Amino acid sequence: MDNFTTFVTFIDQWAWIGWLVLIAVFLVIEMLSLDFTFLMLSFGSVVGLVTDLLGVPVWVQVIIAAVAAAAFILFLRPPLLKRLRRGEDPTKSNVDALVDLRGIALAEITQISGQAKLANGDTWTARTATPVAIPQGAPIAVSAINGATAIVRPVND
């Protein structure tokens, strides 16, 4: 018996340990990421383990496990994520909460300089996205936040 045949026989006899190791590794990674991707990969590895216990050749086990993992990711993961995030607070926070917030120009706002006071009481360095300047005292709305600068647009009330 040559070395290759010995190696294939060894892999075939001990593949179940490989599947158990993959399941454990994927579950540990899932506990750290909490994204359900590695959970689906561990489910695919369980399918691979079952096929090994049924005596299927290793190369077929790998294909079946990969197809099962892909099916779990495509069909089981999205409803699980939707169910998990069902109770999330839909309120915007941080920078997202500032977009579309109204305010007033404290100084003329151009593409180079400006300052605005927002409705939440914060004073921000402000810039316009267009070459049109916004005069001091004009109402504005935040279009985006770029670092510590609010990109604003004029508001026509």
Side-chain angles (χ1 to χ4, degrees):
M1 201 155 58
D2 65 353
N3 288 340
F4 180 74
T5 307
T6 305
F7 177 72
V8 170
T9 305
F10 176 80
I11 294 294
D12 198 36
Q13 288 177 342
W14 298 101
W16 64 274
I17 292 177
W19 290 117
L20 288 175
V21 168
L22 277 175
I23 292 166
V25 167
F26 288 148
L27 288 175
V28 168
I29 295 172
E30 178 60 36
M31 285 187 274
L32 298 173
S33 69
L34 300 174
D35 191 38
F36 289 147
T37 302
F38 287 96
L39 182 63
M40 300 303 113
L41 292 175
S42 70
F43 288 170
S45 297
V46 169
V47 171
L49 176 63
V50 169
T51 58
D52 182 55
L53 297 176
L54 294 175
V56 176
V58 174
W59 66 273
V60 178
Q61 294 173 29
V62 171
I63 292 171
I64 291 172
V67 169
F72 289 135
I73 288 171
L74 291 173
F75 300 112
L76 182 59
R77 183 174 173 264
L80 285 175
L81 284 174
K82 185 176 181 182
R83 186 169 179 93
L84 176 70
R85 296 192 173 121
R86 179 177 57 194
E88 280 185 359
D89 184 8
T91 307
K92 293 180 181 179
S93 62
N94 301 330
V95 173
D96 293 333
L98 298 175
V99 176
D100 291 329
L101 189 63
R102 303 285 176 117
I104 191 158
L106 293 178
E108 181 181 55
I109 302 172
T110 65
Q111 288 182 310
I112 300 170
S113 66
Q115 196 171 36
K117 183 162 187 104
L118 302 181
N120 66 359
D122 291 345
T123 300
W124 281 74
T125 301
R127 305 285 185 268
T128 62
T130 63
V132 178
I134 301 172
Q136 180 178 353
I140 55 98
V142 177
S143 298
I145 300 294
N146 186 0
T149 303
I151 308 301
V152 299
R153 66 182 184 278
V155 175
N156 301 324
D157 287 334

